[in-house]
Amino acid sequence: ERYGFKYDHALCLNNLATVYSNLGQTALAFDCLEKSLALSKEMKNKKRIASAYLNLGAVYSKQSFHDRALECYEQSLALAIELNAKEIMSSCYANIGILNKIKGNVVEAIKFQEKAITIDEETGNKYGRNINLLNIGNCYMEKRDTLKALYYQHLALLNCASIDDKSGVASALYNISNLYKNDKVNRVGIGYARKSFEKANELGLLKGKRNAALYLYRNYFELGEIDS
């Protein structure tokens, strides 16, 4: 193909950027994505351009440059809608939802997460759907709507368990424990936090273990059972 090498090069740069970003080497991640974007524009490959903007948005978001991230997600989303590229559309809606939550626009955040879930259900993307269910639950937690937050977290828990998504199960259990803590039902929350800790420990999720352990310490301290 005329652009075969350039296409593969752009794809590799996109993937390499993800690796650099995960390693905390932001400058290298940006460099790869800018090169990938330039190649994609040269080829006039709109899907690759959309992917590059999506990944750029993720790196900007990770660095807390939320306005720049939003610009990238919106550019990616516009192209994805034009191409009916549903996987990219779902990712854009989900990430725009997360940015809205960070900015305090919780109602808007929920709307975008719901759009992402609709697409995930159409395409059978169970992992994406479950992440978005967790995010909606967190939005309702932010609104202090405990009943709806519990509904979405338990729904996410059931769905994660059904596909053996252990990381999702650990996240849902921890979120549920926090909801019970907010309602001062310490012992119920402790039960969920223990399960979350066990799952995180099984998977080697250090952040999950730390969060659950801190929750357990604080609650046992409040109950006067610090030796538990």
Side-chain angles (χ1 to χ4, degrees), residues 107-224:
V107 174
E108 284 299 304
I110 292 170
K111 289 179 182 178
F112 280 106
Q113 297 291 348
E114 287 175 341
K115 288 181 179 180
I117 287 176
T118 298
I119 294 173
D120 291 336
E121 289 178 345
E122 287 177 7
T123 59
N125 182 2
K126 294 180 180 180
Y127 282 96
R129 175 199 61 189
N130 294 346
I131 291 170
N132 291 318
L133 286 171
L134 289 167
N135 287 335
I136 289 179
N138 289 337
C139 286
Y140 280 115
M141 192 187 305
E142 193 83 10
K143 290 185 68 178
R144 300 192 182 280
D145 189 335
T146 304
L147 287 178
K148 283 189 177 179
L150 280 171
Y151 169 78
Y152 279 100
Q153 295 296 346
H154 276 288
L155 186 58
L157 177 60
L158 289 171
N159 281 304
C160 288
S162 72
I163 60 172
D164 199 31
D165 177 4
K166 294 178 181 178
S167 176
V169 167
S171 295
L173 288 168
Y174 178 70
N175 292 340
I176 292 168
S177 70
N178 271 313
L179 284 162
Y180 281 114
K181 172 65 173 65
N182 289 343
D183 275 0
K184 307 298 183 184
V185 190
N186 297 66
R187 294 194 185 281
V188 177
I190 284 170
Y192 283 104
R194 277 187 176 278
K195 291 177 183 176
S196 177
F197 181 87
E198 289 166 4
K199 284 291 181 185
N201 187 49
E202 178 186 340
L203 297 171
L205 301 174
L206 297 180
K207 183 178 179 181
K209 286 174 62 179
R210 183 176 67 247
N211 288 342
L214 182 60
Y215 176 95
L216 289 167
Y217 176 84
R218 287 173 174 169
N219 277 268
Y220 280 129
F221 182 83
E222 288 181 14
L223 292 169

Side-chain angles (χ1 to χ4, degrees), residues 36-108:
S36 175
L37 183 59
L39 280 171
S40 301
K41 286 182 176 180
E42 185 180 333
M43 294 183 290
K44 297 182 174 60
N45 188 314
K46 291 184 179 181
K47 190 168 185 180
R48 287 258 53 85
I49 294 170
S51 293
Y53 275 126
L54 177 61
N55 288 342
L56 269 171
V59 178
Y60 277 125
S61 183
K62 200 169 185 179
Q63 296 300 308
S64 297
F65 298 133
H66 298 135
D67 289 338
R68 294 293 299 277
L70 183 59
E71 289 174 10
C72 289
Y73 289 142
E74 287 175 342
Q75 285 176 290
S76 178
L77 179 60
L79 288 168
I81 291 172
E82 179 184 338
L83 299 168
N84 197 32
K86 291 186 178 293
E87 184 178 344
I88 298 175
M89 288 167 61
S90 172
S91 295
C92 288
Y93 283 134
N95 284 307
I96 292 172
I98 290 169
L99 288 178
N100 271 280
K101 179 176 178 290
I102 290 170
K103 290 171 174 285
N105 303 324
V106 181
V107 174
E108 284 299 304

